[in-house]
Amino acid sequence: MYNSKITGLGYYVPENVVTNDDLTQWMDTNDEWIQERTGIKERRWIDPKTDDNTSSMGAKAARIAIERAGLTKDDIDFIVFATLSPDMYFPGGGVRVQDMLDMPTIGALDVRNQCSGFIYSLSVADQFIKTGMYKNILVIGSENHSGGLERSTRGRGVTVIFGDGAGAAVLSRSEENGKGILSSHLHSEGKHAKELALEGPATGRWVPEIIQENDPNDVSYYPHMNGQFVFKHAVVRFSEAIVEGLQTNNLQATDIDMLIPHQANLRISQFVQKKFGLSDSQVHNNIMKYGNTTAASVIIALTEAWELGKIKDNDLVVLAAFGSGFTWGSVIIRW
């Protein structure tokens, strides 16, 4: 069985910066209220006047990752694309990236696991490589949240949190023992699905029906979240997934060189950091400037940490995420 290792990383975020103060034009909020609850100072939202969308942002991040891997688009054997915000209901973003990058007719798989989407996607790609089916796989996480957020006081509990952006990694076959992805761990608990969800539009409830009903109180086609409930479960599941990964590889928390948590809420990251006794230099957070970019958050943060020189050869890197579904998981990497 082969090993798989990350050979290239890249990310892209829209140029349009939306500060907490900017949000006051749509809703009753303020910078202090948002920072106290989330740690977010600003986020990137797509400017409608640009050509940015979920797929094109993923393609832009992918080009960077492929180049940094020392490969060309023709060297990629497969695409795994994670998002909760595809450009259209179907088809998904994977095939659109294949077209945008003018790739050969390789397979493209979309993963719909929201905040843990990149963790799940990396795990899927890892298995394809370890079994020998593929040699180089492009793994993308990309989100366009701003196109579907309720910009009003009623929707502020969700809207202030989310940002747009994309990240990509090239996962390649390696025969170097003890390096690359050591293990991945995936979980779900569907009974809490509606605590963080977008229930419509869907096959059971299309937008035109909602419009025809003309009900101003019906917001089922906007995301909704039971914030406190999600927070309480997140801090538990984050920790469980990290412990599971460490125990599987006979490691301790003291072995962690870099933790990249999903950027859901700075308070969650700080709680987990304290629980495992990690210093600020051992955890990379960027939610302050990008908000929660869901499936893109882990890969954007991983790329940024690597670019800053915070991840070095032979470091133990832990990726962890929790989100809608509920789904959660971790990936343990020896860099």
Side-chain angles (χ1 to χ4, degrees), residues 1-23:
M1 185 173 283
Y2 299 103
N3 293 326
S4 64
K5 64 183 297 184
I6 293 174
T7 56
L9 292 167
Y11 78 94
Y12 171 84
V13 292
E15 293 184 3
N16 182 39
V17 177
V18 178
T19 67
N20 291 341
D21 288 335
D22 290 333
L23 295 177

Side-chain angles (χ1 to χ4, degrees), residues 123-140:
S123 175
V124 169
D126 178 47
Q127 303 308 311
F128 273 128
I129 288 177
K130 283 182 174 175
T131 58
M133 186 168 183
Y134 296 122
K135 184 177 180 181
N136 298 302
I137 299 180
L138 177 63
V139 187
I140 299 171

Side-chain angles (χ1 to χ4, degrees), residues 119 183-186 240-242 244-245 318-321 328-332:
I119 298 294
S183 65
S184 55
H185 310 272
L186 310 175
E240 288 179 352
I242 293 169
E244 181 181 14
V318 177
L319 313 180
W328 64 95
S330 64
V331 176
I332 312 298

